[in-house]
Amino acid sequence: MNFKLLLSIVFQSVLFALILFFVSFLGLNLFTDIINNLVALFIIMFIISLLISISSTLEHDRSRGITRFFVLLSQFLIWFSMMYLILSAIIYLTLMFIAIPVDYLLAIYIFIIPIIAIYGYIKAHTIKINEHELFIENLEEEISILHFSDVHIGSVNRGKLLRNIASKINSVEADLAILSGDLADGSCPIAIDDFSYLKESNIPIIFTPGNHDYYPGIENVIKAAEFAGLKVLLNDKISFKSLSIHGFFMASVLKPGVSIKNSEDFSRINPDELNIVINHFPTNWEEFKNMGVDIQLSGHTHGGQFYPIKFLIRGMFKYVRGVFKDNNKYLVVSDGVGTFQSPIRWGTNSEILLLKLKKISN
């Protein structure tokens, strides 16, 4: 381990320890005088943070059970720290106007956040299939497409999630499945067989990478996806029944991929065809509509995943979650089937969308 890496681990550990220390101090200070134990409290938080930082660093080289445990622990600690910081702020503000008995405060601290965590964990690990009908002009035959996004296979989400996805795919009648990015997470390397459970799908799966798929090496992700039987569609086009399906990685977030300004990258989009575009980011819908795209499939936002992040995401993106329609053209933004960071959902679904393409009746 070189000096620069060691310095980075120590810096991360101190920073995380300070966050944990501050949140712990705010909470404990409501119930007891901890002024004389501040040093001990910080040391405890630093040791926890150091173990987490070391584990996270080791995970980037090779995934192990023990390091995955500490990475998972860190994600829970981050979520709990955020929630308890918000709860503490609310309580301190409330106490300025209303006296609350200590027993009530203790009950609030013991039960509210853990109950939300249990609910959110169950919610994140329960895949729902949400059905929508899309009415398309010049549709030759009705087609059912399963759309999902943001699986985030890495240190937290593993093979069990992929097996559940394959099971859900096989539980409904559909012609095709489309995965609109972030199959990988980037928290650990991707091995050739990491996505192999998706081989259990009874229908073809088309996959267009997202930004997180570049973090563990896009070549590794593509090889593992192809080993699992997925058709990787990256800045290219494929025909399926009466559909022309295009997969792009837009350069609005990262350098690799294509730019909407480079018209030659989109020369394969024929406005006379029935076009579906897979674009991980829920952006550039106006441009794609003008090119003759009937349906854009996106993800990336996770629908906000949980409160209060949902409010932040709404400020960052115009289209956050759901199905949007304009002149019989559609943008479909998935909540995602996996999770990023904390494996918790609150106010969103772990979802696979069943899109039933219907003919417009004359």
Side-chain angles (χ1 to χ4, degrees), residues 290-307:
N290 293 334
M291 293 178 194
V293 171
D294 298 277
I295 303 170
Q296 177 177 328
L297 302 179
S298 301
H300 186 64
T301 65
H302 295 227
Q305 192 164 318
F306 57 81
Y307 293 104

Side-chain angles (χ1 to χ4, degrees), residues 248-253 258 260 266 277-289 293 296-301 316-320 324 330-333:
F248 296 109
F249 181 86
M250 302 304 295
S252 58
V253 175
V258 298
I260 199 73
F266 305 98
V277 156
I278 311 166
N279 173 24
H280 179 64
F281 310 109
T283 58
N284 304 110
W285 186 32
E286 293 296 326
E287 291 89 343
F288 280 127
K289 280 190 296 182
V293 171
Q296 177 177 328
L297 302 179
S298 301
H300 186 64
T301 65
M316 294 173 61
F317 293 93
K318 183 178 180 180
Y319 305 105
V320 175
F324 304 90
Y330 296 88
L331 167 63
V332 182
V333 186

Side-chain angles (χ1 to χ4, degrees), residues 144-158:
S144 293
I145 297 173
L146 288 170
H147 170 222
F148 63 107
S149 184
D150 299 280
V151 182
H152 285 273
I153 296 300
S155 300
V156 175
N157 297 313
R158 305 291 293 176

Side-chain angles (χ1 to χ4, degrees), residues 215-355:
Y215 302 156
I218 187 62
E219 298 84 3
N220 298 328
V221 173
I222 289 176
K223 287 179 182 177
E226 290 176 339
F227 182 79
L230 277 62
K231 169 60 180 176
V232 180
L233 195 62
L234 181 56
N235 304 337
D236 205 351
K237 169 185 175 180
I238 191 173
S239 296
F240 181 83
K241 294 190 174 184
S242 60
L243 306 176
S244 292
I245 303 173
H246 309 258
F248 296 109
F249 181 86
M250 302 304 295
S252 58
V253 175
L254 294 178
K255 292 286 185 182
V258 298
S259 169
I260 199 73
K261 297 177 181 178
N262 299 331
S263 58
E264 64 272 14
D265 292 323
F266 305 98
S267 60
R268 292 187 181 91
I269 298 178
N270 182 351
D272 295 326
E273 297 176 343
L274 204 166
N275 294 295
I276 293 179
V277 156
I278 311 166
N279 173 24
H280 179 64
F281 310 109
T283 58
N284 304 110
W285 186 32
E286 293 296 326
E287 291 89 343
F288 280 127
K289 280 190 296 182
N290 293 334
M291 293 178 194
V293 171
D294 298 277
I295 303 170
Q296 177 177 328
L297 302 179
S298 301
H300 186 64
T301 65
H302 295 227
Q305 192 164 318
F306 57 81
Y307 293 104
I309 301 300
K310 282 190 67 172
F311 302 122
L312 177 63
I313 296 299
R314 285 175 185 171
M316 294 173 61
F317 293 93
K318 183 178 180 180
Y319 305 105
V320 175
R321 60 192 301 238
V323 177
F324 304 90
K325 181 180 179 181
D326 180 29
N327 195 26
N328 292 323
K329 296 182 182 294
Y330 296 88
L331 167 63
V332 182
V333 186
S334 169
D335 278 359
V337 73
T339 54
F340 176 60
Q341 301 286 5
S342 308
I344 289 174
R345 284 187 176 272
W346 179 22
T348 62
N349 296 308
S350 177
E351 70 173 4
I352 296 175
L353 296 164
L354 175 59
L355 306 176

